Amino acid sequence: EVQLVESGGGLVQPGRSLRLSCAASGFTFDDYAMHWVRQAPGKGLEWVSGISWNSGTKGYADSVTGRFTISRDNAKNSLYLQMNSLRTEDTALYYCAKDSAIGRYGGISDWGQGILVIVSS
Amino acid sequence: AIQMTQSPSSLSASVGDRVTITCRASQGIKKDLGWYQQKPGKAPKLLTYTTSSLESGVASRFSGSGSGTDFTLTISSLQPEDFATYYCLQDYNFPYTFGQGTKLEIK
């Protein structure tokens, strides 16, 4: 069974940084691309970032480009999101998500339960 | 970025009804589209991928169709557990983009 467990969220002031982590289990982590998706309170889903199985390619939403950095450690079965220069509009539930395709990008097949990030002074 | 325009934003329907939700992409995305169901307080759940492939374990009353820029999710006969919010997601290229969501409510 695929398990994705996020950690590292919390309350942070505008302009500060936060690093989210995602511990993955139940599948061969280094076979799959991974993603972060967020959902602001009462709003829809927003794809934030994705990373290929070998970290060779990465992508970002326009809203976070230059501020957020995605990374992974295949030896630790872990995904990360470094969030810098946080803004109040970054307040959201952040989901770690597994890609559906082996060795390439596809859709999103599995989701964690999410971790809340609140950016407020 | 590719924009996904989803409609309607909300929909009232009755158990047993046939319901269709649409997504239109701002440019062609071949068949690289998935549909997700989200219930309050829960993570999204994959329903269909590559436009029309049904995810394992998903009820056969759900079906997806389309290609290029126009896509639909159809629920053939609504069940009580289907009342939720539905999203499309294009995975054709980065940045991936979701539709705005369709909230399906009980009439």
Side-chain angles (χ1 to χ4, degrees):
Chain A
E1 178 192 3
V2 172
Q3 286 203 319
L4 301 167
V5 179
E6 303 92 343
S7 61
L11 175 63
V12 61
Q13 293 179 327
R16 304 297 291 265
S17 298
L18 205 60
R19 188 195 197 206
L20 302 184
S21 299
C22 172
S25 61
F27 64 102
T28 304
F29 184 70
D30 55 12
D31 274 351
Y32 292 90
M34 297 291 294
H35 305 268
W36 289 99
V37 176
R38 69 184 180 183
Q39 187 167 35
K43 302 298 184 181
L45 300 169
E46 180 185 17
W47 179 86
V48 173
S49 184
I51 185 169
S52 62
W53 64 275
N54 63 352
S55 303
T57 63
K58 304 174 185 180
Y60 299 93
D62 293 345
S63 58
V64 307
T65 295
R67 299 188 300 123
F68 290 12
T69 302
I70 192 171
S71 62
R72 65 189 293 161
D73 185 336
N74 287 346
K76 295 183 178 180
N77 287 355
S78 293
L79 176 72
Y80 307 100
L81 186 68
Q82 177 67 43
M83 304 186 293
N84 298 334
S85 303
L86 281 161
R87 305 168 179 169
T88 55
E89 56 264 36
D90 295 318
T91 294
L93 188 66
Y94 284 74
Y95 291 102
C96 170
K98 171 186 164 292
D99 202 281
S100 60
I102 292 177
R104 60 178 180 84
Y105 288 110
I108 293 175
S109 58
D110 299 273
W111 304 69
Q113 284 307 299
I115 190 79
L116 186 60
V117 172
I118 300 173
V119 184
S120 175
S121 54
Chain B
I2 296 172
Q3 294 184 24
M4 301 302 295
T5 303
Q6 187 173 337
S7 61
S9 56
S10 64
L11 177 59
S12 292
S14 301
V15 172
D17 283 353
R18 179 183 180 90
V19 165
T20 298
I21 300 168
T22 66
C23 261
R24 173 165 288 176
S26 59
Q27 66 184 72
I29 60 170
K30 298 185 178 179
K31 286 183 171 284
D32 295 341
L33 183 115
W35 287 97
Y36 298 82
Q37 177 194 68
Q38 188 179 33
K39 295 183 178 180
K42 298 294 186 181
K45 172 187 173 183
L46 176 64
L47 299 175
T48 65
Y49 58 96
T50 321
T51 294
S52 58
S53 297
L54 194 67
E55 173 72 349
S56 176
V58 172
S60 58
R61 62 182 178 274
F62 292 93
S63 64
S65 63
S67 69
T69 59
D70 294 309
F71 302 86
T72 61
L73 173 71
T74 299
I75 310 172
S76 60
S77 178
L78 273 174
Q79 298 303 299
E81 61 267 31
D82 300 338
F83 292 94
T85 301
Y86 294 83
Y87 296 92
C88 63
L89 169 69
Q90 70 81 14
D91 55 84
Y92 178 71
N93 65 10
F94 281 169
Y96 286 5
T97 41
F98 286 93
Q100 303 96 317
T102 296
K103 187 172 185 180
L104 182 52
E105 299 175 307
I106 301 173
K107 184 183 285 184

